[in-house]
Amino acid sequence: MTAKKSLKFLISAGPTREPIDPIRYISNYSTGYLGYEMVLAAKKRGHRVVLVSGPTAFKKPAGIKSIDVITAKDMLKALKDNIKWADCLIMTAAVSDFRPKKAQLKKIKKDTQKTTLQLVKNPDILKSLKPYKKGKIFIGFALETHNLYENAKKKLKSKGLDIIVANKKGSKSACFGETDNTYYIIDNSFNSNILKDKSKSYLSQYLIDKSFKVWYNLYK
Ligand code: CTP
């Protein structure tokens, strides 16, 4: 059997939005930039890509299948539908951990007496996809404000990842959008590599190449 030269990457990007009513939602500051850079980096190396994207302002990269989603539940479904196809899942999406218990069908008016929003937990997408992991590599991200290493290592283990990319959201370091940042790439033996002050484009190419090496060593 000849060795594979390219892989199939399933990449999630952007935020999810969880509706409160037809006008409002809960979300986060994710722009989707990292996920779209990841798609370009994979394409540049000749890999095949399916993109599952929450709402972003970016144009869909040409020549790949992309699926638009809004909520975390939509994102989970789209990823489940495509996970069997993939060799490598890269979960850059900033999934909303909570959603309003009930999205109101009509706009909530400001003279309402009920001013408390009841939230329920969304599924953890990476954990939900664990049963499909055999023969694949999973990569996740951890954006933390404190205890960066400890939190990232816990996520790496609890989500069954091969690699986690940790970075810190401090008051100075901007993590959303196009600015450079410092990334800690941690593998499942807790070996880590630091990429200091690198662009998301640099990080993306590094991770795509690393994924290929890890996949090749495990499953070739
Ligand atoms: N993630 C996921 N499903 C969720 C939340 C996050 O699959 N419901 C993924 C993200 O795409 C990311 C990784 O898990 O790759 C870590 O996400 P992060 O938001 O840092 O961590 P959480 O698991 O949400 O934990 P916490 O918010 O408590 O830090």
Side-chain angles (χ1 to χ4, degrees):
M1 201 175 80
T2 50
K4 280 207 212 203
K5 295 221 169 42
S6 66
L7 295 182
K8 291 178 261 179
F9 282 88
L10 179 59
I11 298 175
S12 73
T16 65
R17 287 181 185 168
E18 311 299 327
I20 297 170
D21 69 12
I23 318 284
R24 309 171 178 104
Y25 55 82
I26 295 177
S27 192
N28 54 64
Y29 290 116
S30 169
T31 64
Y33 185 69
L34 177 61
Y36 281 64
E37 283 296 309
M38 219 51 90
V39 171
L40 295 179
K43 274 189 66 189
K44 197 169 153 191
R45 292 286 194 257
H47 300 299
R48 282 189 277 163
V49 181
V50 170
L51 168 67
V52 173
S53 179
T56 78
F58 296 106
K59 251 178 74 179
K60 293 290 165 326
I64 62 149
K65 174 177 164 185
S66 58
I67 303 164
D68 287 328
V69 296
I70 306 284
T71 66
K73 285 210 265 180
D74 296 341
M75 184 170 276
L76 174 57
K77 184 181 179 309
L79 290 169
K80 250 189 193 161
D81 289 345
N82 287 278
I83 191 70
K84 286 192 181 145
W85 167 86
D87 299 308
C88 180
L89 169 68
I90 302 191
M91 206 49 212
T92 76
V95 184
S96 301
D97 288 323
F98 300 93
R99 66 175 186 275
K101 189 170 181 192
K102 195 170 180 306
Q104 300 301 314
L105 296 176
K106 289 185 182 158
K107 185 183 180 192
I108 302 168
K109 301 298 285 177
K110 71 168 171 262
D111 59 7
T112 182
Q113 297 306 307
K114 260 178 69 185
T115 52
T116 308
L117 194 57
Q118 249 198 304
L119 301 178
V120 293
K121 267 193 186 169
N122 268 329
D124 186 296
I125 295 180
L126 280 168
K127 285 185 186 169
S128 308
L129 295 176
K130 259 191 195 178
Y132 304 90
K133 179 155 188 315
K134 201 168 168 225
K136 307 176 191 304
I137 62 167
F138 281 14
I139 299 181
F141 290 76
L143 175 59
E144 306 288 344
T145 52
H146 57 282
N147 298 340
L148 178 70
Y149 260 103
E150 287 319 306
N151 286 335
K153 286 194 301 194
K154 266 190 218 153
K155 284 179 192 174
L156 178 85
K157 285 296 166 198
S158 67
K159 293 173 192 258
L161 305 176
D162 298 278
I163 297 170
I164 195 155
V165 180
N167 64 323
K168 205 162 186 169
K169 174 79 181 87
S171 50
K172 282 194 189 136
S173 67
C175 300
F176 298 99
E178 300 178 27
T179 38
D180 289 4
N181 208 337
T182 295
Y183 301 97
Y184 302 82
I185 320 288
I186 308 170
D187 71 19
N188 60 10
S189 307
F190 293 158
N191 298 310
S192 62
N193 196 12
I194 301 177
L195 304 182
K196 201 168 167 3
D197 297 329
K198 295 296 184 201
S199 66
K200 285 183 176 157
S201 149
Y202 183 98
L203 169 69
S204 300
Q205 204 64 72
Y206 175 94
L207 265 189
I208 294 296
D209 293 343
K210 172 119 185 151
S211 308
F212 186 74
K213 276 185 220 145
V214 172
W215 186 92
Y216 200 84
N217 285 336
L218 287 172
Y219 306 121
K220 71 166 182 239

